[in-house]
Amino acid sequence: MIGRLIMALKPKPVRASRTQLADLMAPPDANIRGTVFGGKILAMVDKAAAVCAMRHAGQSCVTVAMDRVEFLVPIHMGNVVSVEAQVNYVGRSSMEIGVEVYAEDLEKGDRKHANSCLVTMVALDAKGKPALVPGLLLETPAEKERHAAAEVRRGSRKK
Ligand SMILES: CC(C)(COP(=O)(O)OP(=O)(O)OC[C@H]1O[C@@H](n2cnc3c(N)ncnc32)[C@H](O)[C@@H]1OP(=O)(O)O)[C@@H](O)C(=O)NCCC(=O)NCCS
């Protein structure tokens, strides 16, 4: 039992849980101007963050916070939206997931950065209580930078 717990909490590299989702924007996803609803993009962000967190934690996770979300460019019906999520930081039961959104116009061959967002997910045990998550192995300078920035954010949030 203890051996299984130690194995489950063995630190994992960021790459092990990196997650990408893509979807083609269709008429039900857009308003009468043909631009995609913000809520559609937020649902994709939430789903990618949840898959990423659950891959890292190896157990079910819930969204506890989303930081300020800005839509940088309009996303149009017919665009392919790609959402990329990775773990920036892990605490005891929480994980900060960094999510990037890209909108691609396949006819023009043009891919634009549309959104960046930070999502905090918490792992839950079978009783719905916060559960310990594995540590994070940082392998690249970019991962170390994102981790350091997340640590500062966590510090200021706790204050
Ligand atoms: C997730 C939940 C179980 C946490 O309960 P809690 O009583 O706040 O638990 P804790 O105080 O022990 O916090 C657990 C972790 O979440 C973090 N956390 C809690 N609120 C947070 C917030 N607003 N922002 C960032 N992190 C937060 C804590 O820092 C802690 O992190 P750590 O374990 O890594 O140190 C509870 O808030 C909940 O059920 N929320 C609803 C989740 C949900 O249903 N989401 C879907 C949206 S509809």
Side-chain angles (χ1 to χ4, degrees), residues 62-65 90-94 120 122 124 128 130 154 157-158:
V62 289
T63 312
V64 74
V90 302
R92 283 171 55 79
S93 66
S94 68
T120 305
V122 173
L124 299 180
R154 182 176 158 101
R157 200 171 50 235
K158 288 219 163 195

Side-chain angles (χ1 to χ4, degrees), residues 8-151:
L9 292 176
K10 201 170 149 224
K12 292 181 182 172
V14 174
R15 63 185 151 78
S17 54
R18 207 168 266 137
T19 297
Q20 185 169 14
L21 300 181
D23 196 5
L24 178 65
M25 296 299 106
D29 303 320
N31 60 29
I32 51 172
R33 295 171 57 84
T35 54
V36 171
F37 294 120
K40 167 71 187 181
I41 303 303
L42 289 182
M44 288 183 72
V45 165
D46 195 31
K47 201 173 272 184
V51 171
C52 179
M54 290 192 276
R55 275 186 175 148
H56 182 79
Q59 53 202 326
S60 86
C61 296
V62 289
T63 312
V64 74
M66 266 189 181
D67 78 338
R68 183 189 162 101
V69 181
E70 281 179 291
F71 296 99
L72 306 173
V73 292
I75 299 176
H76 300 280
M77 197 168 55
N79 284 176
V80 172
V81 171
S82 305
V83 181
E84 297 173 5
Q86 62 179 13
V87 182
N88 287 341
Y89 182 88
V90 302
R92 283 171 55 79
S93 66
S94 68
M95 291 151 280
E96 183 190 281
I97 313 294
V99 185
E100 303 290 340
V101 180
Y102 299 91
E104 189 178 354
D105 182 324
L106 297 174
E107 287 175 353
K108 291 186 186 156
D110 179 36
R111 191 174 191 253
K112 287 188 178 136
H113 180 224
N115 185 288
S116 296
C117 184
L118 299 169
V119 183
T120 305
M121 307 288 308
V122 173
L124 299 180
D125 65 16
K127 291 183 179 151
K129 298 281 177 217
L132 290 178
V133 295
L136 191 63
L137 287 177
L138 305 168
E139 297 176 316
T140 69
E143 288 170 7
K144 287 176 189 161
E145 243 175 65
R146 278 193 292 268
H147 182 270
E151 199 162 34

